[in-house]
């Protein structure tokens, strides 16, 4: 990450941190973020306030830099931030499209039906949903994974609000911990990898600290989950044609993105966009072969007198890639644009330079990175991590891994600290709340502290410059 625009206007930025424009920009960003944090109560999508805030901040910056005769500097800064966002937007869009395609092909519904139909007791389901959340989130991202597991919990735990509450807390911790050791598990880890700060393989050094971060609070909370059998609620779900092959193409897409970054030293987003072509060609194949496939299956169903199969075949619709693109989490993507542009504006004003000077020069970087994790629980990890990357402090790979870990799992301390927590408060409305999560914060903090200590001990050699 380079900070050329800031270097060019260092003296001007220094003045702007104590100017009316600087104070106004900070106030606008804080107000916008307070509105974001109140999303659950206001029923206002989180992208709206930050998009507005970003526009107002850059209007003020444009006027100030025009008055100073340095419009080219403001333009260079905004183009730099737009490029950062564009790379992440396209990367996330492809990943979300694949997840949406697998969802449309009933891959996740099949997994959900299998868990429900097995007749597990509440404590077994608590562990099963948590462990699956931990291992699925590194591939499918923590938000999607948390929502998937929450859907299972809400079905099997109907009428048992205590189980739903504890299981949701467990899922949030597991999804965030699982997302911390993979570049694909969270937007924060993706940002660090895309910026070229850490190679792909280094993230897996956080695997054991992430396991500890999840297991300690999960074990303590599990003692309060009853071993009672839920009411049986079995339903037949069938995988749609091509579901497993789409999952294989997603793995191939990830491998392509990693290869572009690792072997060709090109942005991984190019590999992801190539992976979108894989899905488009496969979608073309599915559409072209649909009539013959339906005719064959219909003949088999008639021969076997299978009325359910005939009814199911009658509702089959062709696979459409662009329909899947439209199902991407556009509110999250636009929210991320607002955050990138707001933080980029504050960086141009000189505020991130001041914070970096205090936290990463006057403090020990280890303590600074631990504080970043705590801040991510209050503010949300996306703006916090983007601010750290924009500051670009000189740190060892061990410290970059530490801030990746703390920003990822620190969001579990509060329900508002991560996208998965906020989403589950909406999905399990009234049964999983801010206050019900807050009661378990000391237990979650034990996992947070233990994961940091394990990383400091286990990966001690990575802290040398």
């Amino acid at each position: 990450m380079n900070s050329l625009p800031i270097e060019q206007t260092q003296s001007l930025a220094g003045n702007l941190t104590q100017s009316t424009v600087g104070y106004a920009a900070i106030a606008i960003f804080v107000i916008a973020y307070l509105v974001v944090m109140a999303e659950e109560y206001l029923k206002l999508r989180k992208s709206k306030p930050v998009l507005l805030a970003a526009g107002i901040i850059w209007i003020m910056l444009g006027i100030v830099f025009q008055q100073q005769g340095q419009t080219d500097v403001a333009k260079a800064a905004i183009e730099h931030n737009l490029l950062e966002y564009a790379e992440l937007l396209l990367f996330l869009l492809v990943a979300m499209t694949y997840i949406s395609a697998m969802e449309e092909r009933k891959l996740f519904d099949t997994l959900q039906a299998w868990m429900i139909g097995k007749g597990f007791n509440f404590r077994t389901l608590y562990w099963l949903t948590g462990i699956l959340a931990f291992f699925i989130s590194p591939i499918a991202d923590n938000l999607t994974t948390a929502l998937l597991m929450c859907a299972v919990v809400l079905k099997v735990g109907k009428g048992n609000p205590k189980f739903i509450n504890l299981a949701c807390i467990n899922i949030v911790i597991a999804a965030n911990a699982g997302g911390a050791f993979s570049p694909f598990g969270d937007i924060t880890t993706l940002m660090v990898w895309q910026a070229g700060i850490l190679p792909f393989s280094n993230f897996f050094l956080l695997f054991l600290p992430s396991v500890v971060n999840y297991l300690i609070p999960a074990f303590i909370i599990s003692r309060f989950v009853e071993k009672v059998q839920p009411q049986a609620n079995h339903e037949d779900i069938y995988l749609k044609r091509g579901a497993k092959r789409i999952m294989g193409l997603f793995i191939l897409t990830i491998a392509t993105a990693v290869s572009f970054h690792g072997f060709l030293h090109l942005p991984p987003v190019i590999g992801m966009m190539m992976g979108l072509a894989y899905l488009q060609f496969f979608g073309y194949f599915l559409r072209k072969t649909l009539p013959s496939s339906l005719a064959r299956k219909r003949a088999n169903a008639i021969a076997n007198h299978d009325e359910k199969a005939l009814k199911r075949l009658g509702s089959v619709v062709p696979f459409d890639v662009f329909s899947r693109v439209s199902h991407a989490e556009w509110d999250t993507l636009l929210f991320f644009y607002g955050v990138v542009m707001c933080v980029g504006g504050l960086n141009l004003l000189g505020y991130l330079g001041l914070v970096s000077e205090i936290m990463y020069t006057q403090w020990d970087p280890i303590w600074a990175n631990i504080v970043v994790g705590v801040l991510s629980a209050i503010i949300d990890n996306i703006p916090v991590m983007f601010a750290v990357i924009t500051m670009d402090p000189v740190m060892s790979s061990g410290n970059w891994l530490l801030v990746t870990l703390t920003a990822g799992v620190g969001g579990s301390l509060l329900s508002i600290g991560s996208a998965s927590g906020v989403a589950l408060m909406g999905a399990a409305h009234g049964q999983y709340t801010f206050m019900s999560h807050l009661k378990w914060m000391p237990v979650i903090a034990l996992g947070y502290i233990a994961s940091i200590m394990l990383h400091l001990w286990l990966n001690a050699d990575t802290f040398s410059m």
Side-chain angles (χ1 to χ4, degrees), residues 73-85:
V73 174
K75 183 183 175 185
I78 205 166
E79 286 175 349
H80 173 76
N81 287 301
L82 277 172
L83 179 61
E84 293 287 332
Y85 173 70

Side-chain angles (χ1 to χ4, degrees), residues 352-428:
L352 298 191
L354 286 178
V355 174
S356 181
E357 174 67 25
I358 295 169
M359 288 183 66
Y360 289 101
T361 304
Q362 298 179 24
W363 297 6
D364 186 307
I366 291 174
W367 284 109
N369 291 331
I370 292 171
V371 170
V372 164
V374 176
L375 285 174
S376 72
I378 303 166
I379 302 175
D380 186 270
N381 55 8
I382 295 174
V384 171
M385 180 55 93
F386 187 75
V388 172
I389 292 173
T390 307
M391 291 176 203
D392 197 20
V394 179
M395 293 195 296
S396 62
S397 62
N399 263 309
W400 276 110
L401 283 169
L402 177 61
V403 75
T404 301
L405 175 69
T406 57
V409 303
S412 300
L413 293 168
L414 296 175
S415 62
I416 59 169
S418 64
S420 52
V422 173
L424 262 59
M425 281 194 294

